[in-house]
Amino acid sequence: MRYARLLTGTALAVAAGALAVPASAAPGPPAGGLEIRPATVTPGSTVTVNTTACGSGGTATGDASAVGAGTFTLAPSNHPESSETAAGRFEVPPSAQPGTYEIVAKCSGSGGSGAKNKKVAGDLMVTITSTAAAGERQQQLPKGHVKTGVGGALGPDPVQTAAGVAALAVAAAGGTWLLHRRARGDRI
């Protein structure tokens, strides 16, 4: 029973540490998804849409009517390193209202097996302020650690965070073991 508590406590400490480690964001769309660049735009902006869902040489018809831009064509890329990518673009109307809109593409043409009639979707966010203006505001915020002279703070480094969590788990297990021995009357 006591060992079960020890193992449960250790497992909880390790699980809490694993949740604290940030996952790295992979660039681009999920496999076979719809990549929208930029994902946040202002009315009147041009948007580029890419997908690998249609296979090599595949084409697609895009539908941006949710934002008021109508349909557009996605054609195979001319670059040899991205021969599986179909790309297209459309312009967000100047009258578009702020919000999140679903952009859809339906594969057609001579893509890979099973790619014809496949649908993929992605979200486009329309804002009133440009992303460049939002980035400038964020750059004006202070950066770095507060220099108070008391200890240091870990940055968002996942290796350091994982090492800290592992050290805490080992300390918790060792402390529990020592208390267990002391409660039984064993000499340390």
Side-chain angles (χ1 to χ4, degrees):
M1 180 69 171
R2 289 182 181 165
Y3 290 113
R5 282 189 217 150
L6 171 67
L7 292 175
T8 303
T10 304
L12 287 175
V14 170
L19 291 175
V21 176
S24 63
L34 191 67
E35 177 182 21
I36 300 174
R37 285 191 186 163
T40 303
V41 297
T42 57
S45 299
T46 300
V47 177
T48 303
V49 179
N50 298 317
T51 187
T52 57
C54 300
S56 181
T59 61
T61 301
D63 183 7
S65 59
V67 73
T71 60
F72 59 97
T73 303
L74 285 84
S77 177
N78 295 333
H79 300 291
E81 65 273 358
S82 59
S83 63
E84 302 247 341
T85 303
R89 59 178 46 196
F90 65 91
E91 185 175 328
V92 177
S95 61
Q97 296 297 311
T100 302
Y101 299 91
E102 183 178 53
I103 308 301
V104 180
K106 183 177 179 183
C107 294
S108 58
S110 61
S113 63
K116 192 168 184 170
N117 296 325
K118 183 175 184 178
K119 284 187 176 181
V120 289
D123 288 336
L124 173 70
M125 181 182 282
V126 177
T127 63
I128 295 175
T129 59
S130 72
T131 54
E136 288 174 12
R137 276 189 302 229
Q138 288 180 350
Q139 290 176 356
Q140 293 174 357
L141 296 175
K143 294 183 179 180
H145 303 290
V146 178
K147 294 177 176 54
T148 62
V150 181
L154 284 178
D157 182 13
V159 174
Q160 287 182 344
T161 304
V165 168
L168 287 174
V170 169
T176 305
W177 178 74
L178 287 174
L179 288 174
H180 174 71
R181 287 196 54 165
R182 185 174 182 183
R184 281 193 342 197
D186 293 347
R187 294 198 137 176
I188 297 179

mmCIF file with all atom_site columns, all heavy atoms in Angstrom, residues 45-62:
data_model
loop_
_atom_site.group_PDB
_atom_site.id
_atom_site.type_symbol
_atom_site.label_atom_id
_atom_site.label_alt_id
_atom_site.label_comp_id
_atom_site.label_asym_id
_atom_site.label_entity_id
_atom_site.label_seq_id
_atom_site.pdbx_PDB_ins_code
_atom_site.Cartn_x
_atom_site.Cartn_y
_atom_site.Cartn_z
_atom_site.occupancy
_atom_site.B_iso_or_equiv
_atom_site.pdbx_formal_charge
_atom_site.auth_seq_id
_atom_site.auth_comp_id
_atom_site.auth_asym_id
_atom_site.auth_atom_id
_atom_site.pdbx_PDB_model_num
ATOM 1   N N   . SER A 1 45 ? -6.248  42.307 -48.011 1.00 0.00 ? 45 SER A N   1
ATOM 2   C CA  . SER A 1 45 ? -4.979  41.570 -48.091 1.00 0.00 ? 45 SER A CA  1
ATOM 3   C C   . SER A 1 45 ? -5.078  40.400 -49.057 1.00 0.00 ? 45 SER A C   1
ATOM 4   O O   . SER A 1 45 ? -6.148  39.859 -49.301 1.00 0.00 ? 45 SER A O   1
ATOM 5   C CB  . SER A 1 45 ? -4.589  41.024 -46.714 1.00 0.00 ? 45 SER A CB  1
ATOM 6   O OG  . SER A 1 45 ? -4.419  42.065 -45.785 1.00 0.00 ? 45 SER A OG  1
ATOM 7   N N   . THR A 1 46 ? -3.921  39.990 -49.589 1.00 0.00 ? 46 THR A N   1
ATOM 8   C CA  . THR A 1 46 ? -3.840  38.805 -50.438 1.00 0.00 ? 46 THR A CA  1
ATOM 9   C C   . THR A 1 46 ? -3.407  37.625 -49.579 1.00 0.00 ? 46 THR A C   1
ATOM 10  O O   . THR A 1 46 ? -2.486  37.731 -48.766 1.00 0.00 ? 46 THR A O   1
ATOM 11  C CB  . THR A 1 46 ? -2.833  39.021 -51.582 1.00 0.00 ? 46 THR A CB  1
ATOM 12  O OG1 . THR A 1 46 ? -3.284  40.126 -52.361 1.00 0.00 ? 46 THR A OG1 1
ATOM 13  C CG2 . THR A 1 46 ? -2.733  37.795 -52.463 1.00 0.00 ? 46 THR A CG2 1
ATOM 14  N N   . VAL A 1 47 ? -4.073  36.493 -49.771 1.00 0.00 ? 47 VAL A N   1
ATOM 15  C CA  . VAL A 1 47 ? -3.838  35.290 -48.972 1.00 0.00 ? 47 VAL A CA  1
ATOM 16  C C   . VAL A 1 47 ? -3.366  34.167 -49.905 1.00 0.00 ? 47 VAL A C   1
ATOM 17  O O   . VAL A 1 47 ? -3.918  33.989 -50.989 1.00 0.00 ? 47 VAL A O   1
ATOM 18  C CB  . VAL A 1 47 ? -5.127  34.854 -48.250 1.00 0.00 ? 47 VAL A CB  1
ATOM 19  C CG1 . VAL A 1 47 ? -4.914  33.566 -47.474 1.00 0.00 ? 47 VAL A CG1 1
ATOM 20  C CG2 . VAL A 1 47 ? -5.607  35.957 -47.326 1.00 0.00 ? 47 VAL A CG2 1
ATOM 21  N N   . THR A 1 48 ? -2.340  33.419 -49.482 1.00 0.00 ? 48 THR A N   1
ATOM 22  C CA  . THR A 1 48 ? -1.844  32.266 -50.221 1.00 0.00 ? 48 THR A CA  1
ATOM 23  C C   . THR A 1 48 ? -2.307  31.004 -49.516 1.00 0.00 ? 48 THR A C   1
ATOM 24  O O   . THR A 1 48 ? -2.222  30.905 -48.289 1.00 0.00 ? 48 THR A O   1
ATOM 25  C CB  . THR A 1 48 ? -0.306  32.291 -50.295 1.00 0.00 ? 48 THR A CB  1
ATOM 26  O OG1 . THR A 1 48 ? 0.100   33.513 -50.895 1.00 0.00 ? 48 THR A OG1 1
ATOM 27  C CG2 . THR A 1 48 ? 0.220   31.134 -51.111 1.00 0.00 ? 48 THR A CG2 1
ATOM 28  N N   . VAL A 1 49 ? -2.779  30.034 -50.303 1.00 0.00 ? 49 VAL A N   1
ATOM 29  C CA  . VAL A 1 49 ? -3.292  28.779 -49.764 1.00 0.00 ? 49 VAL A CA  1
ATOM 30  C C   . VAL A 1 49 ? -2.508  27.628 -50.392 1.00 0.00 ? 49 VAL A C   1
ATOM 31  O O   . VAL A 1 49 ? -2.307  27.597 -51.600 1.00 0.00 ? 49 VAL A O   1
ATOM 32  C CB  . VAL A 1 49 ? -4.802  28.635 -50.086 1.00 0.00 ? 49 VAL A CB  1
ATOM 33  C CG1 . VAL A 1 49 ? -5.340  27.335 -49.554 1.00 0.00 ? 49 VAL A CG1 1
ATOM 34  C CG2 . VAL A 1 49 ? -5.571  29.806 -49.514 1.00 0.00 ? 49 VAL A CG2 1
ATOM 35  N N   . ASN A 1 50 ? -2.035  26.672 -49.560 1.00 0.00 ? 50 ASN A N   1
ATOM 36  C CA  . ASN A 1 50 ? -1.267  25.503 -50.018 1.00 0.00 ? 50 ASN A CA  1
ATOM 37  C C   . ASN A 1 50 ? -1.875  24.237 -49.434 1.00 0.00 ? 50 ASN A C   1
ATOM 38  O O   . ASN A 1 50 ? -2.366  24.244 -48.305 1.00 0.00 ? 50 ASN A O   1
ATOM 39  C CB  . ASN A 1 50 ? 0.191   25.574 -49.546 1.00 0.00 ? 50 ASN A CB  1
ATOM 40  C CG  . ASN A 1 50 ? 0.918   26.763 -50.093 1.00 0.00 ? 50 ASN A CG  1
ATOM 41  O OD1 . ASN A 1 50 ? 0.779   27.086 -51.259 1.00 0.00 ? 50 ASN A OD1 1
ATOM 42  N ND2 . ASN A 1 50 ? 1.683   27.428 -49.244 1.00 0.00 ? 50 ASN A ND2 1
ATOM 43  N N   . THR A 1 51 ? -1.784  23.141 -50.184 1.00 0.00 ? 51 THR A N   1
ATOM 44  C CA  . THR A 1 51 ? -2.173  21.835 -49.662 1.00 0.00 ? 51 THR A CA  1
ATOM 45  C C   . THR A 1 51 ? -1.368  20.741 -50.349 1.00 0.00 ? 51 THR A C   1
ATOM 46  O O   . THR A 1 51 ? -0.971  20.886 -51.501 1.00 0.00 ? 51 THR A O   1
ATOM 47  C CB  . THR A 1 51 ? -3.683  21.559 -49.825 1.00 0.00 ? 51 THR A CB  1
ATOM 48  O OG1 . THR A 1 51 ? -3.986  20.336 -49.153 1.00 0.00 ? 51 THR A OG1 1
ATOM 49  C CG2 . THR A 1 51 ? -4.100  21.481 -51.271 1.00 0.00 ? 51 THR A CG2 1
ATOM 50  N N   . THR A 1 52 ? -1.133  19.660 -49.604 1.00 0.00 ? 52 THR A N   1
ATOM 51  C CA  . THR A 1 52 ? -0.497  18.477 -50.175 1.00 0.00 ? 52 THR A CA  1
ATOM 52  C C   . THR A 1 52 ? -1.514  17.342 -50.286 1.00 0.00 ? 52 THR A C   1
ATOM 53  O O   . THR A 1 52 ? -1.161  16.236 -50.669 1.00 0.00 ? 52 THR A O   1
ATOM 54  C CB  . THR A 1 52 ? 0.685   18.014 -49.302 1.00 0.00 ? 52 THR A CB  1
ATOM 55  O OG1 . THR A 1 52 ? 0.203   17.767 -47.981 1.00 0.00 ? 52 THR A OG1 1
ATOM 56  C CG2 . THR A 1 52 ? 1.791   19.050 -49.277 1.00 0.00 ? 52 THR A CG2 1
ATOM 57  N N   . ALA A 1 53 ? -2.776  17.623 -49.966 1.00 0.00 ? 53 ALA A N   1
ATOM 58  C CA  . ALA A 1 53 ? -3.816  16.593 -49.946 1.00 0.00 ? 53 ALA A CA  1
ATOM 59  C C   . ALA A 1 53 ? -4.151  16.055 -51.327 1.00 0.00 ? 53 ALA A C   1
ATOM 60  O O   . ALA A 1 53 ? -4.655  14.943 -51.454 1.00 0.00 ? 53 ALA A O   1
ATOM 61  C CB  . ALA A 1 53 ? -5.077  17.151 -49.294 1.00 0.00 ? 53 ALA A CB  1
ATOM 62  N N   . CYS A 1 54 ? -3.885  16.812 -52.379 1.00 0.00 ? 54 CYS A N   1
ATOM 63  C CA  . CYS A 1 54 ? -4.290  16.409 -53.729 1.00 0.00 ? 54 CYS A CA  1
ATOM 64  C C   . CYS A 1 54 ? -3.242  15.551 -54.429 1.00 0.00 ? 54 CYS A C   1
ATOM 65  O O   . CYS A 1 54 ? -3.451  15.128 -55.568 1.00 0.00 ? 54 CYS A O   1
ATOM 66  C CB  . CYS A 1 54 ? -4.601  17.653 -54.565 1.00 0.00 ? 54 CYS A CB  1
ATOM 67  S SG  . CYS A 1 54 ? -5.934  18.637 -53.848 1.00 0.00 ? 54 CYS A SG  1
ATOM 68  N N   . GLY A 1 55 ? -2.122  15.310 -53.811 1.00 0.00 ? 55 GLY A N   1
ATOM 69  C CA  . GLY A 1 55 ? -1.086  14.452 -54.380 1.00 0.00 ? 55 GLY A CA  1
ATOM 70  C C   . GLY A 1 55 ? -0.273  15.148 -55.456 1.00 0.00 ? 55 GLY A C   1
ATOM 71  O O   . GLY A 1 55 ? -0.481  16.310 -55.782 1.00 0.00 ? 55 GLY A O   1
ATOM 72  N N   . SER A 1 56 ? 0.676   14.406 -56.005 1.00 0.00 ? 56 SER A N   1
ATOM 73  C CA  . SER A 1 56 ? 1.580   14.939 -57.010 1.00 0.00 ? 56 SER A CA  1
ATOM 74  C C   . SER A 1 56 ? 0.823   15.299 -58.287 1.00 0.00 ? 56 SER A C   1
ATOM 75  O O   . SER A 1 56 ? 0.120   14.474 -58.857 1.00 0.00 ? 56 SER A O   1
ATOM 76  C CB  . SER A 1 56 ? 2.663   13.903 -57.321 1.00 0.00 ? 56 SER A CB  1
ATOM 77  O OG  . SER A 1 56 ? 3.560   14.417 -58.278 1.00 0.00 ? 56 SER A OG  1
ATOM 78  N N   . GLY A 1 57 ? 0.938   16.541 -58.716 1.00 0.00 ? 57 GLY A N   1
ATOM 79  C CA  . GLY A 1 57 ? 0.290   17.014 -59.926 1.00 0.00 ? 57 GLY A CA  1
ATOM 80  C C   . GLY A 1 57 ? -1.190  17.296 -59.772 1.00 0.00 ? 57 GLY A C   1
ATOM 81  O O   . GLY A 1 57 ? -1.859  17.641 -60.738 1.00 0.00 ? 57 GLY A O   1
ATOM 82  N N   . GLY A 1 58 ? -1.722  17.171 -58.561 1.00 0.00 ? 58 GLY A N   1
ATOM 83  C CA  . GLY A 1 58 ? -3.143  17.390 -58.333 1.00 0.00 ? 58 GLY A CA  1
ATOM 84  C C   . GLY A 1 58 ? -3.498  18.866 -58.289 1.00 0.00 ? 58 GLY A C   1
ATOM 85  O O   . GLY A 1 58 ? -2.676  19.719 -57.976 1.00 0.00 ? 58 GLY A O   1
ATOM 86  N N   . THR A 1 59 ? -4.733  19.176 -58.619 1.00 0.00 ? 59 THR A N   1
ATOM 87  C CA  . THR A 1 59 ? -5.250  20.545 -58.550 1.00 0.00 ? 59 THR A CA  1
ATOM 88  C C   . THR A 1 59 ? -6.427  20.558 -57.591 1.00 0.00 ? 59 THR A C   1
ATOM 89  O O   . THR A 1 59 ? -6.928  19.514 -57.177 1.00 0.00 ? 59 THR A O   1
ATOM 90  C CB  . THR A 1 59 ? -5.702  21.044 -59.936 1.00 0.00 ? 59 THR A CB  1
ATOM 91  O OG1 . THR A 1 59 ? -6.740  20.191 -60.408 1.00 0.00 ? 59 THR A OG1 1
ATOM 92  C CG2 . THR A 1 59 ? -4.545  21.067 -60.916 1.00 0.00 ? 59 THR A CG2 1
ATOM 93  N N   . ALA A 1 60 ? -6.878  21.754 -57.256 1.00 0.00 ? 60 ALA A N   1
ATOM 94  C CA  . ALA A 1 60 ? -8.021  21.886 -56.354 1.00 0.00 ? 60 ALA A CA  1
ATOM 95  C C   . ALA A 1 60 ? -8.767  23.175 -56.664 1.00 0.00 ? 60 ALA A C   1
ATOM 96  O O   . ALA A 1 60 ? -8.211  24.109 -57.248 1.00 0.00 ? 60 ALA A O   1
ATOM 97  C CB  . ALA A 1 60 ? -7.554  21.875 -54.904 1.00 0.00 ? 60 ALA A CB  1
ATOM 98  N N   . THR A 1 61 ? -10.016 23.204 -56.260 1.00 0.00 ? 61 THR A N   1
ATOM 99  C CA  . THR A 1 61 ? -10.827 24.413 -56.339 1.00 0.00 ? 61 THR A CA  1
ATOM 100 C C   . THR A 1 61 ? -11.043 24.887 -54.912 1.00 0.00 ? 61 THR A C   1
ATOM 101 O O   . THR A 1 61 ? -11.549 24.141 -54.072 1.00 0.00 ? 61 THR A O   1
ATOM 102 C CB  . THR A 1 61 ? -12.177 24.126 -57.011 1.00 0.00 ? 61 THR A CB  1
ATOM 103 O OG1 . THR A 1 61 ? -11.933 23.624 -58.318 1.00 0.00 ? 61 THR A OG1 1
ATOM 104 C CG2 . THR A 1 61 ? -13.009 25.386 -57.108 1.00 0.00 ? 61 THR A CG2 1
ATOM 105 N N   . GLY A 1 62 ? -10.628 26.130 -54.641 1.00 0.00 ? 62 GLY A N   1
ATOM 106 C CA  . GLY A 1 62 ? -10.771 26.695 -53.313 1.00 0.00 ? 62 GLY A CA  1
ATOM 107 C C   . GLY A 1 62 ? -12.050 27.497 -53.211 1.00 0.00 ? 62 GLY A C   1
ATOM 108 O O   . GLY A 1 62 ? -12.522 28.079 -54.189 1.00 0.00 ? 62 GLY A O   1
#
